[in-house]
């Protein structure tokens, strides 16, 4: 980067998920349906938590924020990927590419911290139930959510300020469906080995730290409750299973893409699709299908809607 910003590339070209037109038409239908399910599923969670007084608690406040983040996590890359399935030339402007890099890392890092906050919420609820509403008051919950967004913003800016100054002067084809940071760095007209290590270390600082904190939190919860009663251990396990499942399906792909990259193209694409499409899709299913309060809230919402409809 000694020569400053020597960017002459105005756009990048995606190779996408497939070179076959027939397969891409099929993928268009599949991913369009999945994206509509992601948006509608997370909107349903937001509406239920906002409108149902029974769900006005710290845990559901954090769950609503997770649903909001998941919608945006998928929306950074999925709509572009869907429209590109119908295009022969899959291009994105330089500015659009930098926006994808920024928002993908901002939202992903924010979600990692939010999952840690949710683990802390479960720790307080299970291990300190008498002080739960005192500790997890609205002011503290709001502050923790803002902390997650701030962490995501700082993390994303640390990447963007470096990548936007790289000298892109020739190669512009990306073997993926979005501007993934490691692939963009490889297009720079410079030796990128040291920069790859630096970016992996930056991602690792956030991902591994959050993952370790999550493991410690849930381990401590289960150990503490197991020492009190078997019934309590069973209840804690049921409460935390959904959280642990979400943590695993979100963190594992991110770690193998950004912290410990395997550099296997088809696997990198699969992992990128998994955390940007399937994780936001699975979160609503996991939290609603395994949660009795959410199921009851859905029944109340439907009965109230049908009741108002009959009145008209």
């Amino acid at each position: 980067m000694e020569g400053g910003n020597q960017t002459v590339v105005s756009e990048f070209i995606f190779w996408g998920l497939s070179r076959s037109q027939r397969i891409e038409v099929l993928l268009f239908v599949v991913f369009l349906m999945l994206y509509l399910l992601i948006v509608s599923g997370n909107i349903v969670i937001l509406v239920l938590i906002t409108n149902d007084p029974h769900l006005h608690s710290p845990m559901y406040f954090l769950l609503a924020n997770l649903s909001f983040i998941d919608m945006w996590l998928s929306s950074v890359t999925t709509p572009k990927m869907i429209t590109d399935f119908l295009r022969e030339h899959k291009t994105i402007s330089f500015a659009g590419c930098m926006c994808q890099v920024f928002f993908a890392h901002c939202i992903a890092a924010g979600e990692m911290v939010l999952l840690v906050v949710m683990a802390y919420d479960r720790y307080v609820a299970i291990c300190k139930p008498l002080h739960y509403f005192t500790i997890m008051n609205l002011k503290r919950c709001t502050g923790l959510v803002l902390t997650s967004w701030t962490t995501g913003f700082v993390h994303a800016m640390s990447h963007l300020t470096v990548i936007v100054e790289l000298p892109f002067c020739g190669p512009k084809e990306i073997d993926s469906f979005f501007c993934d940071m490691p692939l963009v760095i490889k297009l720079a007209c410079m030796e990128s080995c040291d920069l790859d290590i630096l970016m992996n270390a930056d991602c690792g600082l956030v991902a591994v730290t959050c993952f370790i904190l999550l493991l410690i939190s849930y381990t401590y919860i289960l150990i503490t409750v197991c020492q009190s009663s078997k019934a309590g251990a069973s209840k804690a396990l049921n409460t935390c299973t959904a959280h642990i499942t979400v943590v695993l399906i979100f963190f594992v792909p991110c770690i193998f893409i950004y912290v410990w990259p395997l550099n296997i193209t088809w696997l990198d694409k699969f992992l990128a699709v998994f955390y940007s499409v399937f994780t936001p899709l699975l979160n609503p299913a996991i939290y609603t299908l395994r949660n009795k309060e959410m199921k009851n809230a859905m029944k109340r919402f439907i009965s109230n809607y049908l009741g108002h409809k009959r009145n008209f």
Side-chain angles (χ1 to χ4, degrees):
M1 287 186 287
E2 293 176 0
N5 187 356
Q6 303 170 14
T7 303
V8 295
V9 173
S10 60
E11 64 179 18
F12 295 99
I13 300 171
F14 294 140
W15 284 11
L17 296 180
S18 173
R19 294 298 183 91
S20 169
Q21 189 174 3
R22 289 184 178 180
I23 293 176
E24 290 208 321
V25 171
L26 175 63
L27 291 174
F28 169 81
V29 175
V30 171
F31 281 99
L32 178 61
M33 296 300 295
L34 290 176
Y35 182 66
L36 292 175
L37 286 173
I38 289 169
V39 174
S40 58
N42 284 290
I43 286 177
V44 165
I45 290 180
L46 286 169
V47 170
L48 289 177
I49 293 174
T50 303
N51 292 331
D52 196 319
H54 296 86
L55 301 181
H56 291 176
S57 66
M59 184 181 85
Y60 292 105
F61 173 77
L62 297 175
L63 177 56
N65 279 278
L66 180 64
S67 291
F68 181 76
I69 285 180
D70 276 336
M71 275 197 301
W72 287 108
L73 177 65
S74 182
S75 297
V76 169
T77 58
T78 308
K80 171 65 176 168
M81 175 181 66
I82 292 171
T83 57
D84 279 347
F85 285 137
L86 302 180
R87 293 175 180 168
E88 184 178 352
H89 302 289
K90 304 169 176 57
T91 61
I92 187 171
S93 66
F94 181 83
C97 184
M98 295 303 105
C99 284
Q100 280 195 339
V101 170
F102 173 79
F103 285 110
H105 283 270
C106 178
I107 296 168
E111 179 159 343
M112 289 180 183
V113 178
L114 183 62
L115 288 171
V116 174
V117 173
M118 294 177 74
Y120 174 70
D121 171 76
R122 290 301 83 207
Y123 161 75
V124 176
I126 294 169
C127 300
K128 299 183 180 181
L130 298 178
H131 304 285
Y132 178 60
F133 288 102
T134 303
I135 297 173
M136 297 301 294
N137 54 60
L138 180 59
K139 183 178 180 181
R140 176 162 294 180
C141 287
T142 305
L144 291 171
V145 170
L146 289 175
T147 299
S148 70
W149 280 105
T150 303
T151 303
F153 178 80
V154 172
H155 172 71
M157 283 301 297
S158 69
H159 288 288
L160 187 64
T161 52
V162 173
I163 293 176
V164 78
E165 291 295 327
L166 291 178
F168 297 102
C169 54
K172 57 181 181 178
E173 294 186 348
I174 299 175
D175 190 4
S176 185
F177 60 92
F178 76 108
C179 284
D180 205 4
M181 183 195 65
L183 299 179
V184 175
I185 290 175
K186 288 179 181 178
L187 298 180
C189 301
M190 56 173 285
E191 178 57 49
S192 61
C193 183
D194 292 338
L195 186 57
D196 275 331
I197 295 172
L198 178 63
M199 294 293 100
N200 289 341
D202 191 1
C203 290
L205 180 64
V206 177
V208 176
T209 301
C210 290
F211 193 63
I212 290 173
L213 288 173
L214 285 162
L215 289 178
I216 293 172
S217 299
Y218 287 118
T219 302
Y220 191 81
I221 289 171
L222 295 176
I223 291 174
T224 303
V225 178
C226 283
Q227 291 173 347
S228 35
S229 68
K230 289 185 178 179
S234 177
K235 184 179 178 181
L237 186 61
N238 289 333
T239 305
C240 295
T241 299
H243 292 255
I244 293 170
T245 304
V246 169
V247 166
L248 290 176
I249 64 177
F250 181 74
F251 272 87
V252 171
C254 288
I255 287 173
F256 281 113
I257 292 175
Y258 299 109
V259 182
W260 188 19
L262 300 175
N263 294 321
I264 303 173
T265 302
W266 70 266
L267 184 58
D268 288 341
K269 288 183 181 182
F270 170 78
L271 293 173
V273 169
F274 193 87
Y275 93 82
S276 62
V277 177
F278 289 102
T279 300
L281 177 66
L282 290 173
N283 282 358
I286 290 169
Y287 282 112
T288 52
L289 295 178
R290 296 184 58 87
N291 190 304
K292 290 182 179 179
E293 292 185 16
M294 288 295 293
K295 289 179 184 177
N296 292 333
M298 176 68 76
K299 291 176 183 177
R300 286 191 294 269
F301 181 81
I302 293 173
S303 63
N304 289 337
Y305 174 77
L306 292 176
H308 285 302
K309 198 170 182 181
R310 287 194 193 100
N311 292 333
F312 285 106

